[in-house]
Amino acid sequence: MLCLLAATVPWHRSVGFANGLHCPYNRLSSSTREPPPRRLLLERKLLYRFEKYVLDTDRRELRLGADLVALPPQAFDIIVYLIRHRERVVSKDDLIAAVWGGRIVSDAALTTRLNGLRKAIGDSGVAQRLIKTLPRKGMRFVGAVCEGEGLANPHAVGMQRLKASPAIQEQPSIVVLPFTNLSGDPHQDYFADGVVEDIITELSKFSDLFVIARNSSFTYKGRPADVREVGRDLGVRYVLEGSVRRAGSRVRITGLLVDAESGTHIWADRFDSLLEDVFALQVQMAQTVVGAVAPRLERAEIERARRKPTESPSAYDCFLRGMAGWHDWSRDGHDAALKQFYRSIELDPKFARPHALGAGCYLMRKSNGWVVDRAVEIAETDRLARLGANLGREDAVALAWSAHALAHVVGDIESGRALVDYSLQLNPNLAVAWQRSGWIRVYAGECELAIEHLQTAMRLCPLDPLMHLAQSAAAFAYFLVGDLQQSSLWAERALEMRPDWPAALRVSAMSNALTGREWAAHKAMTRLRTLQPGLRLSNLHEQMFLQRPEHMAKFVEAMRKAGLPE
C-alpha cells in the first residue's frame, strides 16, 4: 500500500532506515525493534507494470528492467495515484489532496513534479504517451497497465500473476494495432509501421479521444490478436486494424474499425495510391484514414449514448444525446439538442464543448430563420461562444464552433477568424474546423481562401455527415467571386444531401436566376419561401452577415432577381 504520510508530515520523519522508504515497523522504539519475521519478507506485494517499467508501491521503487529509476517522493506519489485512478481523469485538486494533503501548492510546483515524472518514464508534455493532460480538467494515465501481487523481489517480474485491468473510460478510446505487411517482403515492414505511427499521431490531435501509445499497441505486432481481448487488455472501446500491400509503384492500405466490446465492424475501406515520396505518402494515408475514422467514431458514440438509460446521465452522455439531435438538422432536433447541451453544462460547468455547440444551435437558428427573440439570442450566443472558447482553449472542436457563432451571430469576425485559426493549429486534421474557417472567410470576403479551406475539409473527411455545410459554403464563395457554374454545381450537391437546406437553396435560386435558368431558380425560391415564409429582401441581412458592402449588395440584388419580395 502506498503511504501518503509525506503529505501530512515532513518527509524526513516519514521515511524509514537508510533507503528512504516509509515502514510502519519504524514506529517502534529502538528498544522494542526486532528483525521482521521471515514470512513478511516473502509476503506478496502489489506491483504495477507498464511498458518496461515496474512500480513497487510497497518498496516505493520504480524500475526500468533491473535498473532503479530515481524519483522524488512526491513524483512517486503522483504516478501511483494516477495509475490507481487511471479509469478516470484526475483533477489538480485530487492530486493536491492526495499528495500534498490539501496544502496550498503553486501550479509551478505541480508542473515541476509532473515534468520530472514524465522525464523519468520517458514521456513528455508533447508526446503524452503515458500521462495525458486534458486542459482545464486534469490528467489521466493512459498507458496499458498490468497489476498483480508478485513477490517483493522486483527482479521476479516473470513470476508475477499479472492481470490487465484498465477500466474503459467514459470518453471514446482507441488503439491502432500494427498493420499487416502483405507485400511478401519483410523489409517493407518499416512502411506499414510508419503509416500506423502517423495514424496514431494524427488521432492524438483529437482532444476528446484517448489514443493508446505506439509502444503499447506495438506489443501486439507479429501475433494474432482478438479485438475483444485487446479491448479488455488496454481498456479501449475501439480497435483499428489493417494491412498494407506494396506492389511495384503502387500501394494499397486497408483499414477496419471494430467495436471492441461487441466485436462488430463499424467501418472498413481501402485506399490506393502511387508510391512516389514514401514519407509524404505515409502522412497522406494517415490523414485519409483518420478523416474516415473520426466521423464514424462520433456516430458510434452518439448511438451508444442513445442506448444508455437516462435516469442518471453524465455530462458527456448529455452532450452526446445533444449531438444526436444536432445531426437531425430539424428545428425540433436542434431545440432538443440545445436542451441537452444546457443539461450537460449544468452537470459540468467547465465542459467546453456543450457551450460551443449550444452557441452553434443559435447559429443554426439564425441561418434557418428559426430565431424567436433576436436580441436575447445574440447575447446568449455571445456568452456561450466566449465561454466555450475560454474553457476549451485546447479543444479544437469547441474553438471552431465558438468561432463560427461569434462571426455569424454576433458579427465579431475578427475574433472568429483568430479562434478558428488557432483551432486549425491545434488539429489540422479537423474537417469541421476547416468548414467553419471556410464560412468565416466567406463572411470576411476572403472567398478564394474560403474555397481553399472548404476543399481541404472535403478532402479530409469525404464521408462527413456535415458535408452539406461545406458544399453550401463553397457554393456561396463561388457565387461571390462570379463563378456561377461552380456555384450552381456545389449548391446542387448540398441539396442532394439536404434538400431543405436554406443556405444551398438561396445559392441555387440566385445562380440559376443570373444564368437564365428561370424554372430552376423559381423551384429553389418556392421551396425556400415554403420553409421561411417570412423571408424578405428587407430582413435578408438577419440571416446572412457579409462584411464587405459590395458583397451584401450583390447578394440582395441576386435574391431580388430570383423572386424574393421586398
Side-chain angles (χ1 to χ4, degrees):
M1 293 288 292
L2 171 67
C3 180
L4 295 177
L5 286 181
T8 55
V9 299
W11 175 249
H12 69 275
R13 293 177 56 191
S14 70
V15 299
F17 299 122
N19 61 2
L21 302 177
H22 170 69
C23 178
Y25 175 73
N26 289 348
R27 296 175 187 164
L28 301 174
S29 66
S30 58
S31 61
T32 59
R33 284 180 187 159
E34 296 178 0
R38 181 171 175 77
R39 65 172 178 80
L40 186 62
L41 296 177
L42 295 177
E43 195 172 54
R44 291 183 179 272
K45 307 299 181 184
L46 188 61
L47 302 173
Y48 296 99
R49 184 176 69 182
F50 56 94
E51 295 188 347
K52 296 181 180 180
Y53 294 89
V54 175
L55 184 69
D56 187 330
T57 61
D58 185 74
R59 298 171 64 93
R60 291 187 64 85
E61 290 181 350
L62 176 66
R63 288 186 175 270
L64 176 59
D67 298 327
L68 185 65
V69 178
L71 268 184
Q74 290 165 334
F76 186 91
D77 292 344
I78 288 173
I79 191 172
V80 173
Y81 189 85
L82 289 174
I83 286 178
R84 283 184 169 169
H85 297 84
R86 62 190 180 277
E87 76 283 353
R88 66 180 177 87
V89 176
V90 172
S91 69
K92 171 187 169 183
D93 292 340
D94 291 337
L95 280 180
I96 292 174
V99 178
W100 281 273
R103 298 201 305 269
I104 296 175
V105 177
S106 68
D107 288 344
L110 179 58
T111 300
T112 298
R113 297 296 183 275
L114 283 170
N115 289 342
L117 172 58
R118 279 194 163 114
K119 183 177 180 181
I121 59 177
D123 202 359
S124 72
V126 176
Q128 298 193 14
R129 189 182 77 257
L130 295 172
I131 300 175
K132 187 176 181 70
T133 300
L134 287 84
R136 301 184 69 83
K137 289 187 178 294
M139 62 203 68
R140 181 173 173 270
F141 194 92
V142 295
V145 178
C146 291
E147 67 177 60
E149 291 186 351
L151 295 174
N153 177 6
H155 301 289
V157 177
M159 302 174 63
Q160 300 170 32
R161 295 179 300 181
L162 294 171
K163 60 179 181 179
S165 59
I168 295 178
Q169 56 279 345
E170 187 180 27
Q171 289 180 288
S173 51
I174 188 171
V175 59
V176 186
L177 294 180
F179 281 15
T180 304
N181 174 18
L182 299 179
S183 303
D185 180 3
H187 292 97
Q188 299 299 325
D189 279 358
Y190 81 93
F191 180 77
D193 292 350
V195 170
V196 172
E197 290 178 16
D198 285 340
I199 290 172
I200 292 172
T201 299
E202 300 306 314
L203 282 173
S204 297
K205 294 174 182 176
F206 290 82
S207 60
D208 58 336
L209 184 63
F210 287 108
V211 184
I212 295 296
R214 180 237 190 251
N215 286 7
S216 295
S217 65
F218 269 67
T219 60
Y220 293 89
K221 184 173 181 178
R223 59 189 178 97
D226 180 273
V227 291
R228 297 189 188 187
E229 182 180 341
V230 171
R232 289 191 297 268
D233 288 348
L234 300 180
V236 296
R237 193 171 290 163
Y238 303 102
V239 175
L240 179 64
E241 53 186 356
S243 63
V244 176
R245 183 190 298 274
R246 285 181 59 176
S249 61
R250 300 194 65 84
V251 61
R252 167 173 291 178
I253 294 180
T254 301
L256 178 65
L257 182 66
V258 184
D259 185 317
E261 293 179 351
S262 64
T264 57
H265 295 177
I266 298 174
W267 163 87
D269 207 346
R270 67 185 185 192
F271 310 94
D272 296 297
S273 181
L274 286 172
L275 184 61
E276 296 173 351
D277 184 332
V278 171
F279 299 111
L281 181 60
Q282 284 179 190
V283 174
Q284 174 193 336
M285 286 295 187
Q287 290 178 338
T288 302
V289 173
V290 169
V293 167
R296 295 292 180 173
L297 283 173
E298 182 184 47
R299 292 184 204 176
E301 286 296 292
I302 290 171
E303 289 304 313
R304 184 182 298 274
R306 276 176 164 169
R307 294 192 297 268
K308 284 186 177 181
T310 58
E311 286 78 13
S312 56
S314 68
Y316 187 67
D317 281 343
C318 287
F319 170 72
L320 289 177
R321 292 178 191 276
M323 289 304 296
W326 172 270
H327 284 297
D328 184 51
W329 294 105
S330 67
R331 183 169 188 170
D332 289 343
H334 274 241
D335 286 346
L338 189 58
K339 289 178 182 177
Q340 289 291 344
F341 293 148
Y342 276 126
R343 176 61 176 149
S344 179
I345 292 168
E346 181 182 345
L347 291 168
D348 184 358
K350 293 184 179 180
F351 190 3
R353 201 165 294 185
H355 286 87
L357 269 296
C361 284
Y362 288 112
L363 160 68
M364 292 304 164
R365 288 166 71 92
K366 177 178 178 178
S367 297
N368 287 277
W370 301 333
V371 174
V372 176
D373 187 325
R374 190 165 305 279
V376 169
E377 294 189 21
I378 290 174
E380 182 63 358
T381 303
D382 189 55
R383 184 185 75 85
L384 287 172
R386 295 192 192 281
L387 275 171
N390 288 332
L391 294 170
R393 294 177 208 171
E394 303 301 319
D395 185 340
V397 175
L399 289 169
W401 280 108
S402 294
H404 193 185
L406 286 173
H408 184 54
V409 181
V410 182
D412 188 352
I413 288 181
E414 295 308 313
S415 292
R417 186 159 40 193
L419 287 174
V420 80
D421 285 348
Y422 184 55
S423 171
L424 290 170
Q425 289 180 35
L426 289 174
N427 189 354
N429 302 311
L430 188 62
V432 71
W434 289 104
Q435 283 183 12
R436 302 308 94 205
S437 181
W439 270 115
I440 292 170
R441 262 63 194 201
V442 169
Y443 306 146
E446 302 169 331
C447 295
E448 291 82 4
L449 184 59
I451 292 168
E452 180 183 326
H453 286 196
L454 293 162
Q455 288 173 340
T456 301
M458 290 183 275
R459 176 181 58 81
L460 279 174
C461 198
L463 301 177
D464 193 346
L466 304 178
M467 183 66 79
H468 64 289
L469 300 180
Q471 292 168 334
S472 55
F476 206 92
Y478 278 116
F479 166 76
L480 290 177
V481 298
D483 190 338
L484 299 180
Q485 181 178 356
Q486 286 294 320
S487 174
S488 180
L489 174 65
W490 284 106
E492 291 309 312
R493 288 178 178 175
L495 291 171
E496 287 173 4
M497 289 194 70
R498 296 282 173 178
D500 290 341
W501 187 237
L505 286 169
R506 287 195 294 264
V507 179
S508 178
M510 293 188 297
S511 300
N512 284 306
L514 293 178
T515 52
R517 294 190 288 268
E518 296 180 2
W519 181 85
H522 176 74
K523 178 182 176 182
M525 180 57 70
T526 299
R527 185 61 189 151
L528 178 63
R529 294 192 63 196
T530 300
L531 294 170
Q532 301 179 350
L535 185 64
R536 299 289 187 273
L537 292 173
S538 58
N539 60 21
L540 194 58
H541 65 282
E542 294 178 355
Q543 288 192 26
M544 178 65 71
F545 174 74
L546 299 176
Q547 194 173 42
R548 293 174 59 174
E550 64 272 26
H551 282 173
M552 196 66 200
K554 183 175 184 177
F555 177 36
V556 172
E557 186 55 37
M559 289 292 282
R560 177 180 285 112
K561 188 170 181 61
L564 185 65
E566 295 290 337

